[in-house]
Amino acid sequence: MTSSFSLFDAALARRGADGESLLVFGGGGGASKTGVPNALVVTRLDASWQMQLVGEHRTGLAPVQSLALSPTADRLACLQGPDVLLYSGVDAPAPPAEPPTWESVATVDKKRPPPPPLYASPAMVLRGPDPDPEADGIRKPRLPEVYSLALSPDGTRIAVGIDDGSLVMMEAAAQGEWRQRWKEKRHARDLKSLAFSPDGAVVASAADDALCLLWPAEGGEPSEVAQPAFRWHNFVTPAPKRRGKPLPKTAAWRCVLMAEGSSSGASLFGALNHAAGVGHVLRAAVPRGGSGARVERWAKVTPNRLTALALSADGALLAAGTNEGELHVLQASSLARLVRLQEHPMYVAVLVLTERDAAGGYAAISCSTNEVKVTRLPKERLVPPTLSADRLLLLLAL
């Protein structure tokens, strides 16, 4: 399936016991400059992974750059242009006047009026800065802008990442209003990814400054998730250079996810890109409260950079997308690679994993610019590799 505009993010949540899920895409094409509107694209995914287009909700001049859907699929937090907004009743959109098609989504037809909105006006959570004006040909300093967001499991808090390294915690107040709970700045670069723990008590933040921090949602001092040492990789790989000067042999965090862990805490999954360009994933145990996280496993996934990360609802599978359009599926517990597919000709911008179906299989939904693919992952393909006796003897001989 192909949309008429670029897709920047997507979120999936199960709606009921019938196996049907709500899948929402967000993106845009520039609106006034290109004539291609900005919109939310709402679809339903049935138990057999068939995608049915529900309709589009146009967002005016503001493209949807990031979004987060509550587990019950009733609340949707969006970064629309510079503002953070919250839609309610997302699982019950208004029926469109006529059945939509992918070809008609976000296209301009002067002979036909735009489709009616699927949802009521959203609540304003955090208003971003207006575009910086220019005065006498001298551009004023750019104000910090929102880069990423995460919605708590109960939908009452939204963590907002700013491109100056600040983290803002917003919480619901009376009469549909939102207020700032706290704001801290511990990162030196823009926050690439945010994630809440399943109980909503901890929020993880990852940035390009090689830091991943765990914050108490109530506020307080964060704790750092230590990177793996990468000793062997650093030994065999020459130091990358920029403008002739060697760079530190560290890795930049690209994505973080949190899921149910042991009875004493949660699990954190992260995608890291080494300075030499190699993509790794790791799993860390996060105690309740977030302090004292411990990296349990890490693994090299690809010689390319990782651009997206997804975890299945049951925590069994982990999927990673790369800047070369690859899709890697791993066993979440061991980080063993199960499947490698070349799904797109260029980078994977959006990636989500479905729940397990009745036959034990899954599906991965990936996007590259405006192309959407549903990749079926049957149970028989998700078998961890084994080291046979012949391969063991060959390795010993080498």
Side-chain angles (χ1 to χ4, degrees):
M1 290 162 289
T2 304
S3 72
S4 302
F5 64 99
S6 297
L7 300 172
F8 302 138
D9 205 355
L12 175 74
R14 188 168 182 175
R15 297 178 63 244
D18 57 357
E20 186 178 87
S21 301
L22 190 73
L23 178 61
V24 182
F25 298 93
S32 61
K33 294 183 179 180
T34 64
V36 180
N38 305 302
L40 290 167
V41 180
V42 183
T43 67
R44 287 194 179 98
L45 204 65
D46 62 22
S48 60
W49 317 137
Q50 296 294 325
M51 191 182 300
Q52 177 188 357
L53 181 61
V54 175
E56 61 171 315
H57 179 90
R58 295 192 178 177
T59 57
L61 300 179
V64 181
Q65 303 172 67
S66 181
L67 53 84
L69 190 61
S70 65
T72 53
D74 61 338
R75 292 188 174 191
L76 179 72
C78 293
L79 171 57
Q80 289 182 199
D83 303 326
V84 179
L85 305 173
L86 183 73
Y87 290 88
S88 299
V90 182
D91 56 338
E98 57 184 65
T101 62
W102 278 95
E103 291 75 16
S104 65
V105 166
T107 57
V108 175
D109 187 348
K110 296 182 178 179
K111 297 181 180 179
R112 302 174 62 185
L118 294 178
Y119 303 117
S121 298
M124 176 64 69
V125 177
L126 181 64
R127 187 177 298 278
D130 294 328
D132 295 339
E134 291 186 7
D136 300 327
I138 301 176
R139 187 172 180 82
K140 293 183 178 180
R142 189 182 68 84
L143 297 175
E145 297 179 357
V146 177
Y147 193 93
S148 57
L149 58 81
L151 181 65
S152 65
D154 60 2
T156 61
R157 287 179 176 167
I158 298 178
V160 180
I162 313 295
D163 63 3
D164 68 349
S166 300
L167 176 61
V168 182
M169 183 64 69
M170 304 295 296
E171 69 176 8
Q175 299 178 349
E177 299 292 328
W178 287 77
R179 66 182 181 90
Q180 179 177 308
R181 174 84 179 189
W182 52 266
K183 179 179 180 180
E184 296 284 350
K185 181 179 178 180
R186 299 298 172 87
H187 290 279
R189 302 286 296 275
D190 48 310
L191 271 66
K192 292 288 188 183
S193 181
L194 297 169
F196 274 95
S197 61
D199 61 1
V202 177
V203 60
S205 62
D208 262 347
D209 57 0
L211 287 180
C212 176
L213 300 179
L214 297 173
W215 304 77
E218 296 289 342
E221 288 295 314
S223 60
E224 183 180 350
V225 180
Q227 289 191 12
F230 298 115
R231 292 188 181 90
W232 173 249
H233 184 74
N234 291 338
F235 177 74
V236 300
T237 306
K241 294 183 178 181
R242 179 178 296 170
R243 298 178 181 176
K245 297 181 179 180
L247 297 176
K249 290 185 176 183
T250 57
W253 294 80
R254 182 61 184 86
C255 310
V256 286
L257 301 169
M258 295 193 74
E260 291 284 355
S262 63
S263 58
S264 59
S267 292
L268 179 139
F269 295 89
L272 301 96
N273 292 315
H274 194 272
V278 179
H280 297 77
V281 295
L282 67 76
R283 191 188 76 223
V286 180
R288 297 194 184 277
S291 180
R294 176 176 53 87
V295 175
E296 296 178 317
R297 289 180 179 271
W298 63 278
K300 174 185 172 182
V301 178
T302 170
N304 302 310
R305 291 189 173 273
L306 298 178
T307 56
L309 195 67
L311 184 69
S312 62
D314 59 4
L317 289 187
L318 185 69
T322 75
N323 62 343
E324 295 295 332
E326 301 168 321
L327 175 62
H328 297 268
V329 181
L330 303 92
Q331 188 179 53
S333 59
S334 65
L335 300 186
R337 192 170 68 183
L338 307 177
V339 179
R340 177 196 174 276
L341 301 168
Q342 185 70 48
E343 289 299 274
H344 299 277
M346 55 191 305
Y347 70 94
V348 177
V350 178
L351 181 61
V352 295
L353 276 173
T354 65
E355 293 186 338
R356 182 169 50 190
D357 62 14
Y362 298 80
I365 297 96
S366 57
C367 305
S368 177
T369 59
N370 63 338
E371 181 189 34
V372 181
K373 280 191 175 182
V374 179
T375 304
R376 297 175 182 273
L377 302 169
K379 181 180 180 180
E380 53 269 18
R381 297 189 66 179
L382 304 176
V383 179
T386 57
L387 188 62
S388 64
D390 293 340
R391 291 183 179 180
L392 183 59
L393 291 174
L394 179 61
L395 289 175
L396 293 175
L398 296 176

